Amino acid sequence: MARYRLIINPNTGNVSFGTISKPKIKDRSGRDIWPEASLKADIYLFQGRHIGPNKGFGVEHIWKEHKHEIQNTSFKNTAEFVASIVYHGTPLYYEIWRQDKLLRLLAYKHNTKAVLEFRYKKPYGYHWSVVTAHTFLDQRRIREGRLVGKIC
């Protein structure tokens, strides 16, 4: 399906935007919340799909939700914008407030944020999918969650 077409990282020429290895995500008793997430997994940006406001993933969703923000930057396209946030050394925060069954990490760089979701999809296996990316106007909302690691 076209929505699962991998987008090339414009900074590296590879399909991976980085890797996440063993984020420290534990419950109050110190047990791993998501043992599968302790696996080393690549970060992928898919063509994606936009379903509606705050619903979707990948390039299609990011462009439809945040086109005006990206156009106000020096980036030529969504992949460049994502690559400016998701790269080696970017700190990762666990999205503590989520009540659903999804494991999401937040990658922050300056006044921008990318949401990464841990997924399993054939033929990619376990991986992190870029759900969305956007800028912040309200600096108080930056760095929500608990620091759990960095992008490798």
Side-chain angles (χ1 to χ4, degrees):
M1 295 174 86
R3 72 179 82 157
Y4 292 106
R5 183 175 65 86
L6 291 170
I7 303 300
I8 300 294
N9 182 334
N11 294 341
T12 66
N14 298 320
V15 294
S16 177
F17 279 68
T19 57
I20 297 175
S21 181
K22 299 183 181 181
K24 298 173 183 83
I25 304 169
K26 308 222 181 257
D27 65 15
R28 289 192 170 112
S29 66
R31 291 177 297 176
D32 285 334
I33 293 175
W34 284 77
E36 300 90 353
S38 67
L39 304 169
K40 184 176 179 181
D42 285 314
I43 303 166
Y44 296 135
L45 176 62
F46 293 98
Q47 183 63 37
R49 178 177 174 204
H50 180 69
I51 300 165
N54 299 312
K55 290 185 181 2
F57 70 100
V59 170
E60 293 284 326
H61 176 66
I62 296 166
W63 186 251
K64 292 217 170 124
E65 286 283 317
H66 304 288
K67 173 182 176 179
H68 61 283
E69 297 169 38
I70 297 168
Q71 289 176 328
N72 287 332
T73 68
S74 60
F75 304 110
K76 296 178 192 142
N77 56 48
T78 304
E80 282 187 8
F81 179 67
V82 169
S84 75
I85 307 167
V86 180
Y87 63 90
H88 179 78
T90 301
L92 297 167
Y93 294 80
Y94 176 51
E95 203 172 22
I96 297 167
W97 59 270
R98 292 210 47 108
Q99 297 299 315
D100 55 24
K101 302 287 187 214
L102 302 173
L103 174 57
R104 289 186 171 181
L105 296 180
L106 309 175
Y108 290 104
K109 273 299 186 187
H110 308 293
N111 66 333
T112 58
K113 171 174 93 171
V115 177
L116 311 174
E117 187 174 282
F118 190 65
R119 307 285 300 189
Y120 181 86
K121 176 83 176 150
K122 290 183 180 180
Y124 311 110
Y126 286 110
H127 64 277
W128 294 88
S129 175
V130 179
V131 175
T132 193
H134 56 86
T135 60
F136 275 100
L137 296 177
D138 184 354
Q139 294 293 322
R140 294 171 294 176
R141 294 207 52 191
I142 290 186
R143 298 196 187 15
E144 297 174 300
R146 187 175 71 232
L147 181 65
V148 294
K150 291 183 177 185
I151 296 174
C152 303

